[in-house]
C-alpha cells in the first residue's frame, strides 16, 4: 500500500544550507533523523509516510472482510498472515514517521478526523473471494511498483522500512495471483468471479498512481529530494505493461477496449481511468469511505478504556517499583 | 464408545476447540484497540488455525474415511462439532475476548502439557508443538487480564463482568464423560480432575494479580464437547465460515 497525491511543502530555509542538503542527496547519502533537513522536506515526509502508514491500517479492512469466510484453513491462515503483515507495515511506518517528530497518536487522530488521507483504493468494497485475489495481484502489485524505487529514497528510516516492506509485499502479490489462478482454472462460477473482480479493480488500481504529474512543481521538488522517485505516469505504464500479460495468462480480459501493444514505445496504449471518480473518492464519496473511517473510529473509541486501563496498570507497576527501591 | 471411534471424537474435540476459537479471534482483525493488539490477536488466531490443521488432519487419518481437515471444518453441521461452549461464545468487548482467551489458555496449557507425554506418539508430537505456542498465548492473555483488571475503575469493572459472564463455561472443560474416560484408560488423555486443580491454581494467581473475584458458583453449562447442545452462536459462526464451501460444492480454491 502506499501514499498518493502528496504535495511537497514549500521551504523557507537558508539557501546555503539547502544547497548543501541537496548536494548530500545528489551524492546518494541517506538523511538520518538527527541531521539538518529543510522544513519542507520534513513536513512532506511526515505526510507521505503517515499517509502510507494509514493506508496499511485501513487496508486491513477490505481483506479482513473475508478472513472469516476464507474457503479453506490454508487460505484463511495465509490471508490472516497477510493482513497481519499490513499491520506490521503500519508499525514500521509510524515508527519511521516518529523519527521526524510526530507521534503515532497524533497521526492516528489526524486520520480519524479526516485531516490525513489513506490510499483511495481501500474505499472500494471486496464482494467475492476473487477480490482477495484481485487485491493481492493488482493492488499490492501497484503498491510494489511504487515502493520498490522508494527503497532508495533519501530518508534513511523510510528507506529501511521500505526494504522490509517490499520483501513481504512480493509474497502478498504472489498469493493474490495464486488465488486468481485457482479461480481462473476453476468452475464457471469461479471464472466469472475472477473476471468480475478484475473488472471492478482494474481502473481503481490504475488510479493508485495518481493523476498525471509530469508538469507538477511539487512533484519536481519531491523528486529532487528523492522522496518521490518516478512520475505517476511512468509507474502506471510499468504496471500496465507488467499486468496485461498476467491477465492474458489467466485467460481474463482487461476491461479496456482500447488496450493495444504499441511497438514504437514498447509498451501498451491504454485508457485512462475516470479521474472525476478518483477526485470524488478522494473527497469522501467513494463506496466505502464512510464505513472505513467509521470502523477505524469505532476501534479507536471502543479501545479507549483498554488503552487507559493498561496505561494505569503500567503506572501502578512503575510506582510500586520506585517505592520498593 | 471405544477404540478408534473414541480417538476420532477426542481429536475432534481438540481440533474443534482450536478451530472455533481461532475463528473467533480472527474476527478481530483490523478492529483491535491498538495496533500491537491487532498483530498479537492475528498471531494467536494463526497459531490456532495451524493447530486445527494438525488435529483435524489427524482426526481424518484416524477416521480413515477420506475426509480431510478442510472437509471436517467446512462440511459438518452444528451437532457434529465437539468444541467446548466457552470458545464459541461471541467476542464481546476486548476484555471479554481476553478473559475467554485466558480461561481457555490456562486449560489448554495444562492439557497440552499432559498430552505432550501421551501414549500416542502422533498426539504427543502435535501437543508438543502446540504447547510452545500456547505457553506464549497464556503469558499474553494473563498479562492482559491482569493489566485490565488492575487498571482503571472502568477496566476493572468490565473485566469482572467478563469473568462473571464466562465463568459458567469453565466447568465443561473439566467434566469427564465416556470419551474422556476411554482416552484416559488408553493412556492418551489426563485425569480431568487433576487437571482442574492445576487450572485452578494457575487461574487463581492471575485473578489475584488482576484484583478480580472468582465467582462463587460452580454451575457448569455443558453440551459443547459432546455435541448434545451447543449455544445458538455456533450456527451463525458456521454460516460464515462454511459459506463458500457450501455455496460452491466441489470447487477448488
Amino acid at each position: 500500500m502506499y501514499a498518493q497525491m502528496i504535495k511537497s511543502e514549500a521551504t523557507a530555509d537558508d539557501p546555503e544550507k539547502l544547497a548543501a542538503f541537496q548536494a548530500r542527496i545528489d551524492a546518494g547519502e541517506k538523511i538520518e533523523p538527527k541531521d539538518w533537513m529543510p522544513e519542507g522536506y520534513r513536513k512532506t515526509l511526515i505526510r507521505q509516510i503517515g499517509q502510507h502508514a494509514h493506508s496499511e491500517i485501513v487496508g486491513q479492512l477490505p481483506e479482513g472482510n473475508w478472513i472469516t469466510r476464507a474457503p479453506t484453513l490454508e487460505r484463511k491462515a495465509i490471508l490472516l498472515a497477510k493482513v497481519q503483515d499490513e499491520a506490521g507495515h503500519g508499525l514500521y511506518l509510524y515508527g519511521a514517521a516518529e523519527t521526524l517528530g510526530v507521534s503515532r497518536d497524533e497521526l492516528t487522530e489526524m486520520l480519524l478526523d479526516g485531516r490525513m488521507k489513506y490510499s483511495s483504493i481501500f474505499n472500494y468494497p471486496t464482494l467475492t473471494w476473487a477480490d482477495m485475489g484481485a487485491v493481492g495481484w493488482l493492488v499490492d502489485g501497484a503498491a510494489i511498483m511504487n515502493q520498490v524505487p522508494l527503497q532508495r529514497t533519501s530518508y534513511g528510516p523510510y528507506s529501511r522500512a521500505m526494504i522490509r516492506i517490499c520483501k513481504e509485499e512480493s509474497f502478498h502479490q504472489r498469493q493474490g495471483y495464486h488465488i486468481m489462478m485457482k479461480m481462473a482454472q476453476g468452475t464457471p462460477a469461479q471464472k466469472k468471479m475472477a473476471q468480475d473482480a478484475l473488472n471492478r479493480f482494474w481502473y481503481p488500481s490504475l488510479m493508485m498512481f495518481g493523476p498525471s504529474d509530469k508538469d507538477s512543481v511539487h512533484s519536481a521538488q519531491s523528486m529532487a529530494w528523492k522522496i518521490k522517485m518516478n512520475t505517476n505516469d511512468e509507474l502506471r505504464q510499468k504496471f500496465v505493461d507488467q499486468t496485461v500479460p498476467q491477465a492474458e495468462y489467466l485467460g481474463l480480459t482487461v476491461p479496456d477496449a482500447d488496450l493495444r501493444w504499441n511497438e514504437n514505445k514498447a509498451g501498451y496504449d491504454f485508457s485512462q481511468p475516470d479521474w472525476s471518480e478518483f477526485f470524488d473518492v478522494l473527497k469522501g464519496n467513494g463506496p466505502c469511505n464512510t464505513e472505513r473511517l467509521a470502523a477505524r473510529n469505532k476501534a479507536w473509541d471502543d479501545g479507549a478504556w483498554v488503552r487507559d486501563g493498561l496505561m494505569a496498570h503500567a503506572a501502578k507497576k512503575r510506582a510500586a517499583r520506585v517505592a520498593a527501591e | 464408545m471405544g477404540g478408534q471411534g473414541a480417538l476420532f471424537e477426542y481429536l475432534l474435540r481438540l481440533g474443534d476447540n482450536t478451530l472455533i476459537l481461532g475463528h473467533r479471534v480472527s474476527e478481530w482483525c483490523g478492529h483491535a484497540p491498538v495496533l500491537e493488539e491487532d498483530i498479537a490477536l492475528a498471531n494467536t488466531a494463526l497459531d490456532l488455525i495451524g493447530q486445527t490443521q494438525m488435529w483435524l488432519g489427524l482426526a481424518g487419518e484416524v477416521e480413515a474415511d477420506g475426509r480431510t481437515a478442510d472437509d471436517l471444518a467446512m462440511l459438518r453441521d452444528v451437532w457434529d462439532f465437539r468444541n467446548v461452549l466457552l470458545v464459541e461464545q461471541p467476542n464481546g468487548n476486548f476484555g471479554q475476548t481476553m478473559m475467554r482467551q485466558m480461561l481457555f489458555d490456562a486449560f489448554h496449557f495444562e492439557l497440552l502439557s499432559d498430552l505432550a507425554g501421551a501414549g500416542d506418539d502422533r498426539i504427543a508430537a502435535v501437543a508438543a508443538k502446540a504447547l510452545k505456542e500456547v505457553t506464549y498465548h497464556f503469558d499474553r492473555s494473563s498479562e492482559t487480564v491482569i493489566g485490565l483488571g488492575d487498571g482503571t475503575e472502568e477496566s476493572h469493572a468490565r473485566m469482572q463482568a467478563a469473568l462473571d459472564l464466562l465463568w459458567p463455561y469453565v466447568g465443561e472443560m473439566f467434566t469427564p464423560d465416556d470419551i474422556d474416560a476411554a482416552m484416559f484408560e488408553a493412556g492418551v488423555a489426563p485425569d480431568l480432575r487433576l487437571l482442574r486443580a492445576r487450572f485452578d491454581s494457575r487461574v487463581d494467581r492471575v485473578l489475584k494479580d488482576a484484583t478480580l473475584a472468582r465467582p462463587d458458583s460452580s454451575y457448569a453449562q455443558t453440551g459443547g464437547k459432546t455435541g448434545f447442545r451447543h449455544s445458538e452462536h455456533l450456527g451463525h459462526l458456521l454460516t460464515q465460515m462454511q459459506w463458500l464451501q457450501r455455496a460452491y460444492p466441489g470447487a477448488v480454491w
Side-chain angles (χ1 to χ4, degrees), chain A residues 1 25 27 32 40 42 47 56 89 158 160 178 182 196-197 208 229 234 269 271 287 296 306:
Chain A
M1 312 315 154
I25 289 182
E32 295 299 334
R42 182 188 301 276
R47 282 182 32 206
E56 301 284 356
H89 297 174
Y158 192 25
R160 290 188 287 275
H178 193 249
K182 286 278 179 198
D196 175 65
M208 285 178 68
M229 310 297 284
E234 281 167 7
D269 290 332
S271 302
R296 289 314 309 165
V306 175

Side-chain angles (χ1 to χ4, degrees), chain A residues 16 38 207 242 255 279:
Chain A
E16 266 184 42
M207 290 178 203
Q242 174 187 290
F279 287 107

Side-chain angles (χ1 to χ4, degrees), chain A residues 57 61 67-69 71-73 75-77 83-84 87 91 104 190 193 296 299 303 305-307 309 313 316, chain B residues 23 29-31 33-36 39 43 46 49 70 147-148 150-151 155 158 240-241 244-245 248 252-253:
Chain A
I57 301 312
L61 298 171
I67 285 176
T68 55
R69 288 178 289 173
T72 66
L73 295 170
R75 287 283 174 216
K76 188 183 174 85
V83 180
Q84 185 192 33
L91 265 189
R104 200 209 301 182
Q190 285 177 301
M193 273 185 231
R296 289 314 309 165
W305 72 269
V306 175
R307 296 189 299 274
H313 177 69
K316 284 184 202 176
Chain B
H23 185 95
C29 195
H31 303 279
V34 273
L35 199 44
E36 285 81 354
I39 293 172
N43 223 23
L46 264 174
I49 301 301
D70 279 326
L148 292 173
D150 181 42
S155 71
R158 284 179 184 267
Q240 271 200 13
M241 188 174 79
L244 275 174
Q245 290 285 357
Y248 301 95
V252 176
W253 305 90

Side-chain angles (χ1 to χ4, degrees), chain B residues 2-191:
Chain B
Q4 294 299 290
L7 181 58
F8 174 67
E9 286 281 315
Y10 193 71
L11 288 166
L12 287 184
R13 289 179 182 188
L14 293 168
D16 287 346
N17 279 341
T18 53
L19 172 63
I20 301 302
L21 185 60
H23 185 95
R24 279 289 185 229
V25 176
S26 79
E27 290 171 3
W28 271 100
C29 195
H31 303 279
V34 273
L35 199 44
E36 285 81 354
E37 291 300 334
D38 247 326
I39 293 172
L41 285 166
N43 223 23
T44 304
L46 264 174
D47 288 343
L48 292 169
I49 301 301
Q51 292 170 23
T52 303
Q53 287 174 297
M54 295 189 285
W55 290 129
L56 293 185
L58 192 49
E61 279 177 37
V62 166
E63 188 190 33
D65 200 19
R67 287 203 284 183
T68 63
D70 279 326
D71 294 336
L72 290 168
M74 301 296 178
L75 300 174
R76 283 178 299 152
D77 207 341
V78 169
W79 53 72
D80 284 328
F81 274 79
R82 295 292 181 264
N83 58 281
V84 292
L85 296 173
L86 177 68
V87 296
E88 69 196 45
Q89 298 309 303
N91 286 339
N93 64 39
F94 181 77
Q96 198 177 315
T97 291
M98 293 314 293
M99 182 61 77
R100 183 186 62 198
Q101 190 70 38
M102 189 279 288
L103 293 171
F104 182 76
D105 289 344
F107 159 76
H108 206 195
F109 177 86
E110 298 296 351
L111 177 66
L112 292 172
S113 301
D114 285 351
L115 290 178
D120 184 313
D121 289 345
R122 295 168 301 178
I123 291 183
V126 176
K129 185 175 185 299
L131 183 60
K132 288 186 195 141
E133 295 166 347
V134 171
T135 303
Y136 161 74
H137 297 175
F138 178 76
D139 283 351
R140 188 179 153 271
S141 63
S142 59
E143 269 173 32
T144 310
V145 166
I146 291 167
L148 292 173
D150 181 42
T152 59
E153 208 173 302
E154 182 185 4
S155 71
H156 175 84
R158 284 179 184 267
M159 294 313 284
Q160 186 64 53
L163 179 62
D164 294 346
L165 182 76
L166 295 171
W167 193 252
Y169 300 103
V170 166
E172 182 187 15
M173 298 188 284
F174 305 97
T175 308
D177 66 359
D178 291 350
I179 303 289
D180 294 310
M183 287 297 101
F184 176 69
E185 286 296 316
V188 172
D191 180 339

Side-chain angles (χ1 to χ4, degrees), chain A residues 218-235:
Chain A
H218 292 296
S219 226
Q221 176 62 79
S222 282
M223 286 175 75
W225 278 338
K226 293 191 186 164
I227 291 174
K228 188 176 168 73
M229 310 297 284
N230 306 83
T231 68
N232 295 347
D233 290 324
E234 281 167 7
L235 291 170

